[in-house]
Amino acid sequence: MKRLAAFIFHFYRPVFFVNLIFSLCAIFVLLKHGIIAMPIVLILKLFGYLLCVSYQYFLAAKTYFYYRNAGLSARQMYLYIFTFDTLLFIALASIILIPYYAITHIKG
């Protein structure tokens, strides 16, 4: 468990850009339509997670033994990367949306 961050990084690296694209699309939908579009954002993020799982399952399933030998199951790794991706999405959305709404609602 000493190198958990390294294991998470190696597990998440192949799908990082795909999840980043889905996150940016979700943020664009939020910018365009506001908070009322939250169901669409959730569907986009779930589709990104589904794509991530299917990619890992079909193309990188042979690497699961590496994590099992380290004492981590594939489900644990998915839980870690989905939690990390959700926190990354919240941080990215906050960094983009708060200044955007502040600038658009400045009176004067």
Side-chain angles (χ1 to χ4, degrees):
M1 287 299 162
K2 233 159 70 166
R3 295 180 279 165
L4 182 62
F7 287 130
I8 292 171
F9 173 72
H10 287 294
F11 194 79
Y12 188 55
R13 187 175 40 167
V15 294
F16 171 73
F17 290 110
V18 173
N19 281 335
L20 184 65
I21 289 170
F22 278 101
S23 293
L24 291 175
C25 288
I27 290 171
F28 177 74
V29 169
L30 281 175
L31 284 174
K32 192 78 170 162
H33 300 290
I35 198 76
I36 195 114
M38 192 54 79
I40 297 169
V41 169
L42 293 175
I43 290 171
L44 275 172
K45 289 301 291 175
L46 288 175
F47 187 72
Y49 294 149
L50 179 67
L51 192 66
C52 168
V53 170
S54 62
Y55 170 79
Q56 290 282 2
Y57 181 75
F58 288 116
L59 299 177
K62 293 181 180 179
T63 61
Y64 288 158
F65 75 90
Y66 175 71
Y67 303 106
R68 286 190 194 126
N69 287 340
L72 299 167
S73 69
R75 288 182 181 168
Q76 273 183 316
M77 294 305 291
Y78 283 125
L79 180 67
Y80 289 143
I81 67 167
F82 292 155
T83 304
F84 177 73
D85 186 63
T86 303
L87 293 174
L88 183 68
F89 172 71
I90 291 170
L92 192 62
S94 298
I95 289 170
I96 293 173
L97 292 175
I98 290 174
Y100 175 78
Y101 285 127
I103 289 171
T104 56
H105 293 357
I106 290 177
K107 295 183 180 180

